[in-house]
């Protein structure tokens, strides 16, 4: 079974289930997050506490995801980049930024490839916030989860396309 098939959780049905689970966890996070906001007087994502908690996330339970999630995103990005090169498409990031007619198609294919990984990233960040910090902040989960996925995927997809095209010309 291919990695993308494994991550697809049996197509869009699995994605909808995963998205629903993520929304439930984020909704359950709201009361604690709001209570924390009232006590602190500031939004966690924009606070000094967020920056101070980053080392706790990197060393506490769930630290492996900071390696695993970007690695899976890189593998998916390489796979998509090689496919782009075979199709003659421009490197991903270049295409998204500078090819208006390809922008929607490239963004859609990128999202379809990493949708479940993004949802898992957000879900895992929420759960591990509860475990590590005792409270889950939905805003932080919506930032940290995707950061672990989108950057590595985009760079890997662009670079693998570029390298495959360079090798073909040699």
């Amino acid at each position: 079974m291919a990695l993308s098939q494994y991550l697809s959780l049996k197509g869009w049905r699995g994605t909808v289930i995963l998205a629903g689970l993520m929304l439930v966890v984020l909704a359950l996070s709201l009361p604690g997050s709001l209570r924390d906001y009232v006590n602190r007087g500031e939004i966690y994502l924009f606070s000094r506490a967020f920056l101070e908690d980053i080392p706790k996330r990197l060393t506490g339970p769930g630290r492996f995801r900071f390696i695993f999630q970007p690695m899976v995103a890189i593998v998916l990005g390489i796979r998509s980049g090689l496919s782009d090169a075979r199709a003659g498409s421009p490197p991903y990031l270049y295409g998204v930024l500078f090819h208006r007619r390809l922008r929607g198609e490239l963004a859609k294919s990128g999202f379809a490839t990493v949708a479940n990984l993004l949802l898992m990233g957000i879900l895992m960040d929420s759960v591990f916030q509860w475990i590590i910090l005792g409270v889950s902040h939905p805003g932080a989960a919506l930032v940290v989860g995707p950061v672990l996925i989108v950057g590595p995927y985009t760079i890997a997809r662009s670079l693998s396309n570029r390298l495959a095209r360079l090798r073909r010309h040699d």
Side-chain angles (χ1 to χ4, degrees):
M1 180 184 323
L3 180 61
S4 63
Q5 288 173 323
Y6 173 74
L7 291 172
S8 74
L9 298 174
K10 301 291 185 198
W12 286 106
R13 185 171 146 215
T15 302
V16 170
I17 291 168
L18 196 55
L21 184 59
M22 181 206 64
L23 289 172
V24 167
V25 169
L26 290 178
L28 291 173
S29 299
L30 281 175
S33 182
L34 290 173
R35 186 174 44 254
D36 196 54
Y37 168 73
V38 169
N39 292 339
R40 276 184 218 261
E42 60 186 359
I43 297 173
Y44 175 74
L45 183 60
F46 305 113
S47 71
R48 170 174 248 156
F50 174 75
L51 297 174
E52 291 170 354
D53 287 343
I54 289 175
K56 293 178 188 174
R57 292 172 187 228
L58 295 172
T59 59
R63 66 183 173 270
F64 180 67
R65 73 190 167 95
F66 285 94
I67 296 168
F68 180 72
Q69 287 178 301
M71 289 304 295
V72 172
I74 288 168
V75 168
L76 293 174
I78 290 170
R79 190 169 158 255
S80 295
L82 295 175
S83 177
D84 290 346
R86 282 190 296 277
S89 298
Y92 185 72
L93 193 54
Y94 181 81
V96 168
L97 294 176
F98 300 111
H99 286 266
R100 177 174 256 159
R101 63 180 175 76
L102 294 175
R103 186 174 296 146
E105 178 186 329
L106 288 170
K108 184 178 177 182
S109 76
F111 182 75
T113 302
V114 297
N116 287 339
L117 196 56
L118 281 168
L119 293 170
M120 285 297 289
I122 294 166
L123 183 62
M124 288 172 64
D125 194 74
S126 291
V127 170
F128 283 115
Q129 282 184 58
W130 264 324
I131 293 169
I132 297 167
L133 308 173
V135 65
S136 180
H137 302 276
L142 290 168
V143 170
V144 173
V147 164
L148 293 174
I149 308 305
V150 174
Y153 173 81
T154 302
I155 292 167
R157 184 169 177 176
S158 295
L159 289 176
S160 63
N161 180 332
R162 177 69 71 191
L163 292 172
R165 292 168 70 126
L166 288 173
R167 284 193 67 192
R168 199 175 333 150
H169 292 301
D170 286 345

